[in-house]
Amino acid sequence: MTIEHSNIDYSERIPNNVGLAGNRRLQRALESWQPDYIKWWQDLGPDRSTAFDVYLRTAISVERDGWANFGFVKMPDYRWGIFLAKPDLDRKILFGDHKGEPAWQDVPGEYRAPLRRLIVTQGDTEPASVEQQRYLGVTCPSLYDLRNLFQINVEEGRHLWAMVYLLHAYFGRDGREEAEMLLERHSGDADKPRILGAFNEPTPDWLSYYMFTYFTDRDGKYQLAALAESGFDPLARTCQFMLTEEAHHMFVGETGIMRVAQRTCEVMNEVQSEDLTAVRGGGAVDLDTIQKYINLHFSVSLDLFGQEISTNAATYFNSGLKGRYLESRLDDDHRLTNSLWPVHLIQDGRIVLEERPALSAVNDRLRDDYIVDSQRGVDRWNGMLDAHGVDFRFTLPHRFFNRHIGTSAGTNVTPEGTVISDAKWNAQRGDWLPTEEDQMFVGSLMNRVTEPGKIAAWIAPPVRGINGKPWDYAYVRFN
Ligand code: BYC
């Protein structure tokens, strides 16, 4: 392909660091997709937001300091573009049958179909999340939060661009068709839904949103990290850069949940009670309800890792298309020919932990890494509860709780990990997952606050603002 740079060329209609101007055909193809993308953004992106000036960061280079560029932008004018991490000309494939061979700069013919499928699945989640969050701006708790929502939305839009670039540049006509389809499927659409389950669920309120950015964006982190190991070098480099954008999304989730729980602690102190009615009466979300939202979003996100035992995943690994988390740091043969991995399975109605060929268990291994990482934020939230003298502790439910994909789909498992009957599940479901009443209560708190320095009563203000600005800075200007 053409010469590539770490600096991004913003003089182009499509900003890029892949030398797009040197490939007229590809440039024209992407320029003809661009208006469809803008139309999609206007139809299904953040509701009634096109005239707002938003304090956004835009990458100016893929170097470490390339993110330090902030300014007011109208979202439809955001410079969505194509940014790949710097190339490593000697890069070798680290795992699978092709271990040690030079990374591919083009798509190997025999892996065309699975590679396209991985890219399409990844690409499909990005616009899906923007669609899911479409109406949240209408009920933002503060300008700071509104700005973060919009920042994440534009970056998910850019992640879509990242995958569309790969489809256009490397997959010819069917790649172009897939790129169109990415704008035609819609979250929750009865006829043309998004590909993965979690991306068809609504994100109706800000508590759900923080949970989504904590738990579901974290699946994004792990999937992107696995794809960043790919032997297909353009995919690897695209994902490496996407990962730098992902960190902020998870930060918004983690601090968002922290701030909701902190406010709950403050209200419990004000009303001198931990009782649900008293806490809700004080205008905060009771801790039990926050736990139910954790249970829901964690379990839905665990489904995104696929089956515990997966031949798809084994094929992706063997073929060098999708690796493990931080593959280069793992101390083994990177081929997994004879190794085993402990996998939780349901057998005869019981949960067992059994060694299985590691190759077929790579999905579950990634899920293991994800669970460890998810626990870190939970520990930090609990540290805050402790500091407020509150005894309650948040927990992650058992990995088989409320699962719809994998070995435990269809088995009722409590958050503690006990298999129970349908009758018991139905009787206790409402203790573990948000009930309609819980959702209505959370929904009733969602009122729009857009005055600088003001914040909704159910959430504490952030510790600091964006880019050294105070948290009460006017991050969004309505026109
Ligand atoms: N929903 O062998 P298995 C993000 C299907 S999030 C529906 O385990 P595989 C983001 C599966 O397709 C990251 N279907 O499958 C976050 C397969 O279908 P077929 C997104 C599901 O392929 C927030 C069958 O079940 N990126 O970036 O090994 C905001 C057998 O399953 C689901 C990726 O996912 C499900 N949850 O694993 C914005 C990376 N799970 O073959 C963005 C790309 C499985 O029977 N995707 N199935 O027709 C992949 O690597 C894989 O497709 C999966 C599934 C890990 C998702």
Side-chain angles (χ1 to χ4, degrees), residues 117-119 121-123 125-127 129 132-133 152 156 159 195-199 212 216-221 223-224 227 242 246 249 300 302-314 316 322 363 366 405:
R117 186 177 172 174
L118 280 172
I119 293 170
T121 308
Q122 177 64 49
T125 63
E126 315 289 0
S129 70
Q132 289 171 296
Q133 295 163 17
I152 292 177
E156 300 300 8
H159 289 183
I195 296 170
L196 299 173
F199 294 89
F212 183 95
T216 308
D217 275 274
R218 192 171 308 276
D219 169 53
K221 167 184 166 183
Q223 298 295 342
L224 289 173
L227 294 173
M242 288 164 78
E246 207 64 59
H249 306 187
V300 167
L302 286 181
D303 273 343
L304 290 170
F305 290 83
Q307 308 276 345
E308 281 73 14
I309 302 297
S310 164
T311 44
N312 281 354
Y316 293 149
K322 183 179 173 190
N363 275 349
L366 198 60
I405 299 276

Side-chain angles (χ1 to χ4, degrees), residues 52-56 58 71-79:
F52 303 169
D53 286 308
V54 188
Y55 188 70
L56 294 178
T58 308
F72 281 91
V73 181
K74 288 194 179 27
M75 282 187 285
D77 302 334
Y78 183 78
R79 302 305 312 277

Side-chain angles (χ1 to χ4, degrees), residues 248-400:
H248 174 66
H249 306 187
M250 290 177 293
F251 163 85
V252 167
E254 181 175 331
T255 53
I257 297 168
M258 179 78 93
R259 290 161 53 212
V260 178
Q262 181 190 328
R263 184 65 197 132
T264 306
C265 291
E266 290 164 6
V267 167
M268 286 184 344
N269 192 28
E270 280 161 30
V271 299
Q272 287 294 305
S273 168
E274 299 189 358
D275 175 65
L276 177 145
T277 319
V279 174
R280 287 188 177 185
V285 188
D286 52 289
L287 297 176
D288 283 318
T289 298
I290 299 177
Q291 178 65 54
K292 290 185 199 180
Y293 275 70
I294 291 174
N295 293 347
L296 174 65
H297 288 267
F298 180 63
S299 56
V300 167
S301 302
L302 286 181
D303 273 343
L304 290 170
F305 290 83
Q307 308 276 345
E308 281 73 14
I309 302 297
S310 164
T311 44
N312 281 354
T315 309
Y316 293 149
F317 185 85
N318 264 342
S319 319
L321 303 181
K322 183 179 173 190
R324 292 169 294 171
Y325 185 61
L326 301 181
E327 184 72 46
S328 64
R329 296 198 202 163
L330 300 175
D331 186 18
D332 59 23
D333 69 349
H334 301 276
R335 291 180 193 269
L336 303 179
T337 13
N338 293 314
S339 50
L340 299 170
W341 188 257
V343 183
H344 288 85
L345 297 165
I346 300 268
Q347 270 172 16
D348 304 326
R350 285 187 316 116
I351 298 173
V352 295
L353 184 64
E354 283 198 350
E355 302 242 287
R356 287 297 164 97
L359 191 54
S360 60
V362 286
N363 275 349
D364 211 41
R365 180 170 184 157
L366 198 60
R367 185 163 22 231
D368 291 345
D369 291 328
Y370 169 86
I371 292 173
V372 170
D373 198 30
S374 295
Q375 182 64 42
R376 293 198 183 106
V378 176
D379 293 343
R380 282 191 281 267
W381 303 329
N382 285 337
M384 187 276 301
L385 296 181
D386 196 34
H388 279 80
V390 171
D391 292 336
F392 190 99
R393 291 292 175 266
F394 294 121
T395 51
L396 293 176
H398 190 274
R399 62 202 291 145
F400 283 165

